[in-house]
């Protein structure tokens, strides 16, 4: 194949032409004929037995051209890309294709180029870092949570339901006198005070006695599912039984039951150490995210829209997979509809997160180039050990799954990140009064804003069976995103 007319244009775009030779095109046409011949019927020949020349004589010499062109296009593009040396992003487009009189094919491809990146400052950046402190109250709260998880449930028959009790109820929801979907369940265990149901529901169940039936009147929030948002409904509720937790005594025996320690004091010390470790990791993540954001803000790059669009789709499909929607054939528009993603959510939350991730990737790649980062076998061995511990996988399994080329590139990026963070300076946080009004802490490193997803009927039924549906208010989980100076192309 002959590559020619490689032309870089404005706005990170380029084009190039690739021309096949006559033999390549002829082989592709014949392959198309052989693939289709079994379905071809020509009078005078058994089905699938008509010679190619006869078929072309009846339908025209071009009858197999399109299939041949489709066969050659990927090969032509790969050849052009390798020979031109262009680094592209996004999918290529065929802007023109023609079969010449000499029976060769000339493809013209339009591509988007990887952007030129100019690094700003990325060493010695400063950011606030919280001091780690764990109070006695936090330790006590953590231990109390463990006590609640290990509580013995006792039946209550001599009093009305109270907040903190588990009320076993039947309920049936009505809107304007008609039942609505998802509003009915029997034998449902509801922890009063858990706020798992629509506001106002649990408070009205409190005070009911066993066997009592009651109409519970509530109004759904404005941000609830479309057909119920803001609507006043009635739930007919019957209280079947009440159970209440009996917390275990806070003593050495409790410590032995819930931990590997023999005494309560040892157990408390371990709880404090774990809380301190968690707080330290969170402080470190916030610090690193702030540093990373600064480094990303310091780069200069004309980022093609396709890079952000591709990253946005990658994020959405990743979130969808968390909800069991893994079918890659589902269009992005359909996926957004299924997940309840509107333009406001995309533009205000997800798109900025996608843009930040792209900037992060550009930053790290540019640092690898600017610093001439290379890795040794010892570097990759240590990197594999670290990653393996994080994901509970053996190094050899990671190599088999990802391949050494990919692992070496990731190891280079890890070293680039180390250059940023090892040179970063932590400063004491400003007093709250000095911070700008409305200033918010940066999200933790590696996090992204997650969309609220509409649950399928199947998912709702499954949740209801586990005690997390019916008039329960859907919750939105949030994550935030993270990304990493000198001149590099």
């Amino acid at each position: 194949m002959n590559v020619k007319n490689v032309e870089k244009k404005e706005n990170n775009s380029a084009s190039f032409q690739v021309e096949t030779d006559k033999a390549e095109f002829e082989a592709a046409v014949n392959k198309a004929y052989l693939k289709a011949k079994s379905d071809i019927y020509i009078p005078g020949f058994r089905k699938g037995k008509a010679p190619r020349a006869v078929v072309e004589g009846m339908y025209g010499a071009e009858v197999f051209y399109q299939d041949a062109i489709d066969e050659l296009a990927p090969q032509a593009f790969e050849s052009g890309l390798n020979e031109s040396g262009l680094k592209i992003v996004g999918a290529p487009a065929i802007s023109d294709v023609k079969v010449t009189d000499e029976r060769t094919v000339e493809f013209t491809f339009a591509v988007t180029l990887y952007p030129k990146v100019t690094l700003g400052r990325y060493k010695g950046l400063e950011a606030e870092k919280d001091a780690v402190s764990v109070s006695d109250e936090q330790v006590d709260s953590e231990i109390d949570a463990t006590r609640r998880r290990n509580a013995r449930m006792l039946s209550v028959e001599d009093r009305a339901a109270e907040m903190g009790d588990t009320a076993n109820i039947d309920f049936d929801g009505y809107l304007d006198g008609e039942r609505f979907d998802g509003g009915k369940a029997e034998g449902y265990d509801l922890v009063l005070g858990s706020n798992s149901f629509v506001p106002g529901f649990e408070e009205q169940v409190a005070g009911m006695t066993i066997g009592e039936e009651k109409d519970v009147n509530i109004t759904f929030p404005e941000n609830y599912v479309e057909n119920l948002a803001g609507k006043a409904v009635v739930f007919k509720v019957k209280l079947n039984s009440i159970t209440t937790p009996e917390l275990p005594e806070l003593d050495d025996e409790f410590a032995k039951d819930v931990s590997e320690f023999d005494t309560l004091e040892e157990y408390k010390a371990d709880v404090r150490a774990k809380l301190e470790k968690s707080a330290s990791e969170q402080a470190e993540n916030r610090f690193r995210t702030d540093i990373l954001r600064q480094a990303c803000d310091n780069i200069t790059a004309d980022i093609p829209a396709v890079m952000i669009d591709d990253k946005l789709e990658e994020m959405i499909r990743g979130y969808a997979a968390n909800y069991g929607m893994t079918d890659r054939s589902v269009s992005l528009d359909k996926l957004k509809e299924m997940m309840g993603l509107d333009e406001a959510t995309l533009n205000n939350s997800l798109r900025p997160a996608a843009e930040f991730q792209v900037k992060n990737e550009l930053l790290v790649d540019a640092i690898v180039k600017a610093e001439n980062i290379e890795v040794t076998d010892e570097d990759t061995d240590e990197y594999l050990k670290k990653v393996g511990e994080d994901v509970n996988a053996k190094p050899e399994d990671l190599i088999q799954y990802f391949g050494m080329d990919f692992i070496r590139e990731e190891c280079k990026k890890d070293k680039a990140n180390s250059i940023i963070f090892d040179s970063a300076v932590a400063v004491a946080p400003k007093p709250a009064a000095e911070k700008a009004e409305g200033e918010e802490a940066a999200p933790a490193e590696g996090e992204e804003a997650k969309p609220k997803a509409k649950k399928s009927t199947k998912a709702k039924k499954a949740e209801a069976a586990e005690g997390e549906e019916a008039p329960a208010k859907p919750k939105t989980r949030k994550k935030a995103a993270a990304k990493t100076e000198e001149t590099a192309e």
Side-chain angles (χ1 to χ4, degrees), residues 242-309:
I242 305 170
T243 54
T244 193
E246 181 184 59
L247 301 182
E249 290 294 326
L250 192 56
D251 54 21
D252 290 346
E253 289 304 314
F254 168 73
K256 292 177 182 178
D257 287 342
V258 300
S259 73
E260 69 270 32
F261 302 102
D262 293 329
T263 68
L264 181 60
E265 289 308 308
E266 288 177 310
Y267 171 58
K268 282 186 175 182
D270 181 65
V271 170
R272 182 181 293 276
K274 288 176 179 176
L275 288 174
E276 287 175 346
K277 180 182 178 183
S278 177
S280 177
E281 289 173 349
Q282 291 177 30
E284 179 67 18
N285 284 342
R286 285 191 292 269
F287 168 72
R288 290 164 71 97
T289 297
D290 196 346
I291 292 296
L292 203 51
R293 287 190 182 279
Q294 292 181 54
C296 285
D297 288 343
N298 289 341
I299 70 170
T300 302
D302 183 12
I303 302 175
V306 66
M307 290 187 76
I308 299 173
D309 290 342

Side-chain angles (χ1 to χ4, degrees), residues 5 19 54 68 75-76 165 192 202 206 231 249 277 286 309 317 331 360 378 389 403 408 411 415 423 449 465 471:
N5 298 331
E19 186 176 17
V54 173
Q75 304 169 37
D165 291 340
L192 302 182
E202 295 169 30
K231 301 291 180 63
E249 290 294 326
K277 180 182 178 183
R286 285 191 292 269
D309 290 342
R317 291 194 181 278
S331 71
N360 189 181
E378 290 74 17
E389 290 173 352
R408 285 185 176 277
C411 186
K415 293 182 100 176
S423 66

